[in-house]
Amino acid sequence: MSTQRNILITGGAGFIGSHVVRRFVTKYPQHRIINLDALTYAGNLENLRDIEQAPNYVFVKADICDAEAVPKVFKDYAIDGVIHLAAESHVDRSITDPLAFVRTNVFGTVTLLNAAKEAWNTVMEGKRFYHVSTDEVYGSLHDESLFLETTPYDPQSPYSASKAASDHFVRAYGNTYKLPFVLSNCSNNYGSHHFPEKLIPLMINNIRNNKPLPVYGKGENVRDWLWVEDHAAAIDTIFHGGVNGETYNIGGHNEWKNIDLVHLLCAIMDRKLGRTAGESAKLITYVTDRAGHDLRYAIDATKIERELGWRPSITFEVGLERTVDWYLANSEWLDHVTSGAYRSYYEAQYGR
Ligand code: NAD
Ligand code: TYD
């Protein structure tokens, strides 16, 4: 691969995308990073304040479903690599509005694939389309097994069904049009800049505000948690070293029952906020379970570890401490997100 690249990162204003953009902008000054994001409720340019003036960074506000705007970006910036993260990402929202997920995750991904196929039509050599996906496409585990790259797809929610469809389209474009692609399926991420509709930041925010902590069902569902910066490092590793046409599972070897995780967060927050031990846990409230709630996700990440040498860099204990510290030090960020004030940042910054 050439040393100088024009890399389109979609969804770069979101949780994981902002970590990927920051990593690429700072680590690869020779690459130009084009962040294309529609700035939905989940897109927050405040996440990228520290790097937005970098000479190798460009922001484009556009929708991945826009069949005029997307090809124009490929042309204007001579895009030769794509890291596709833009998506509707919250399972609960997919239950109330499945079509929004079909639109962005399926229609949007295919629009992006079409633009890449057209732009790279004559020379596919050296190009790369990296599709970032989730372990949820494999469905729900009810025994001790782990998801492998070869595990058959069995999505159970509208979110995971839409991500599974997008994965199938990426592979179909690889097979049919010889589009050079790599794909990864990752477990649940946690860390800074996580929108507080997801479990960990929602609980941190509610503990800090002394609000009830809504645990779905009996809290017995299990998730494998990975620090978001380790996911960004895995994406970097796969983008630069992965083999075309291959899929890599990424995970933290770190399974937690929701209720145990919430208790751990309560204990950390009691300590940080100077509360009596056990005080925050009194806020735990069991609520109606999520419809069709997947019981357990767990990843076997042996392939990326063995073939590409990637491993999680920190333990969950360290990562969770860091995450809580970040939210406590950035309560303004949380307040902006929960009040909607972050949405005016784009206008103030970009004047449109
Ligand atoms: P997020 O919801 O925090 O961010 C999504 C970003 O995409 C936002 O910036 C949003 O504005 C943008 N976006 C949404 N619709 C768009 C559209 N139509 N056009 C352009 N931009 C649009 O999501 P996230 O948690 O950072 O997840 C990023 C990707 O990683 C997703 O593809 C998700 O499926 C995948 N993933 C997430 C996790 C996780 O734990 N969060 C785990 C594995 C994989
Ligand atoms: P979430 O962060 O939405 O990620 P995902 O559903 O994609 O794994 O939820 C993580 C787990 O936490 C999941 O089992 C649902 C549960 N959960 C709650 O118990 N309460 C909540 O308020 C939320 C948002 C999630």
Side-chain angles (χ1 to χ4, degrees):
M1 280 183 195
S2 65
T3 49
Q4 206 220 322
R5 307 198 61 158
N6 294 310
I7 303 169
L8 174 65
I9 299 182
T10 70
F15 166 48
I16 302 170
S18 62
H19 286 279
V20 176
V21 166
R22 178 175 301 98
R23 183 181 178 95
F24 274 68
V25 165
T26 52
K27 189 174 166 198
Y28 301 110
Q30 76 277 24
H31 292 342
R32 183 163 56 164
I33 306 305
I34 297 91
N35 172 15
L36 183 152
D37 198 298
L39 298 183
T40 68
Y41 79 94
N44 182 355
L45 286 176
E46 289 184 3
N47 294 351
L48 292 166
R49 223 177 226 174
D50 53 327
I51 57 97
E52 68 192 356
Q53 303 299 340
N56 64 334
Y57 173 71
V58 180
F59 174 69
V60 178
K61 185 175 185 294
D63 189 324
I64 54 165
C65 300
D66 186 334
E68 284 179 17
V70 174
K72 186 171 181 321
V73 169
F74 273 80
K75 190 161 172 278
D76 288 353
Y77 297 101
I79 299 299
D80 54 19
V82 174
I83 304 177
H84 174 38
L85 296 113
E88 288 293 339
S89 68
H90 190 38
V91 174
D92 293 329
R93 287 178 187 259
S94 82
I95 294 169
T96 49
D97 187 7
L99 275 177
F101 286 67
V102 176
R103 181 185 178 276
T104 291
N105 300 358
V106 185
F107 191 84
T109 299
V110 177
T111 305
L112 206 58
L113 286 165
N114 280 340
K117 173 169 82 71
E118 290 306 314
W120 301 344
N121 191 19
T122 43
V123 189
M124 292 281 189
E125 180 76 32
K127 310 292 196 297
R128 173 152 280 185
F129 189 104
Y130 183 166
H131 181 59
V132 176
S133 192
T134 167
D135 61 355
E136 304 191 24
V137 297
Y138 298 123
S140 177
L141 292 167
H142 292 267
D143 55 21
E144 293 305 301
S145 61
L146 303 171
F147 296 134
L148 281 161
E149 287 80 358
T150 48
T151 301
Y153 275 28
D154 187 20
Q156 299 290 321
S157 73
Y159 165 65
S160 53
S162 69
K163 289 297 291 187
S166 67
D167 293 9
H168 289 319
F169 270 103
V170 172
R171 295 195 179 99
Y173 272 59
N175 179 59
T176 310
Y177 308 110
K178 307 300 167 218
L179 190 83
F181 77 91
V182 282
L183 202 156
S184 60
N185 298 89
C186 187
S187 61
N188 287 57
N189 286 210
Y190 72 95
S192 70
H193 305 91
H194 203 180
F195 198 85
E197 64 182 356
K198 307 278 170 62
L199 181 73
I200 290 181
L202 182 137
M203 293 297 168
I204 293 173
N205 194 35
N206 286 14
I207 294 170
R208 133 188 125 104
N209 291 314
N210 266 307
K211 284 168 63 178
L213 309 179
V215 173
Y216 296 165
K218 294 183 178 146
E220 283 175 350
N221 306 68
V222 174
R223 298 292 184 264
D224 166 24
W225 294 95
L226 177 70
W227 191 44
V228 63
E229 293 188 37
D230 279 332
H231 188 192
I235 289 173
D236 184 355
T237 301
I238 294 168
F239 183 76
H240 287 102
V243 175
N244 277 340
E246 290 292 318
T247 294
Y248 301 88
N249 278 356
I250 308 169
H253 306 293
N254 179 39
E255 291 181 48
W256 284 80
K257 264 190 194 170
N258 291 340
I259 188 63
D260 295 340
L261 173 50
V262 172
H263 273 290
L264 177 61
L265 272 174
C266 287
I268 297 175
M269 292 287 280
D270 280 344
R271 183 159 42 80
K272 304 264 181 203
L273 297 174
R275 292 181 184 171
T276 320
E279 200 179 325
S280 299
K282 288 185 193 150
L283 298 166
I284 293 174
T285 310
Y286 291 94
V287 299
T288 309
D289 207 354
R290 173 185 281 172
H293 197 170
D294 286 345
L295 181 62
R296 173 172 167 258
Y297 306 140
I299 280 274
D300 182 334
T302 314
K303 177 176 172 181
I304 184 174
E305 293 174 359
R306 190 185 57 235
E307 295 185 9
L308 302 179
W310 172 90
R311 266 175 195 76
S313 70
I314 58 169
T315 63
F316 193 48
E317 287 66 27
V318 171
L320 209 55
E321 279 293 310
R322 270 190 208 174
T323 302
V324 169
D325 284 344
W326 186 85
Y327 282 102
L328 292 178
N330 292 276
S331 48
E332 195 188 75
W333 183 93
L334 265 177
D335 292 337
H336 278 192
V337 170
T338 43
S339 71
Y342 71 103
R343 298 192 126 186
S344 51
Y345 182 76
Y346 173 76
E347 281 150 41
Q349 190 64 22
Y350 293 87
R352 263 177 285 132

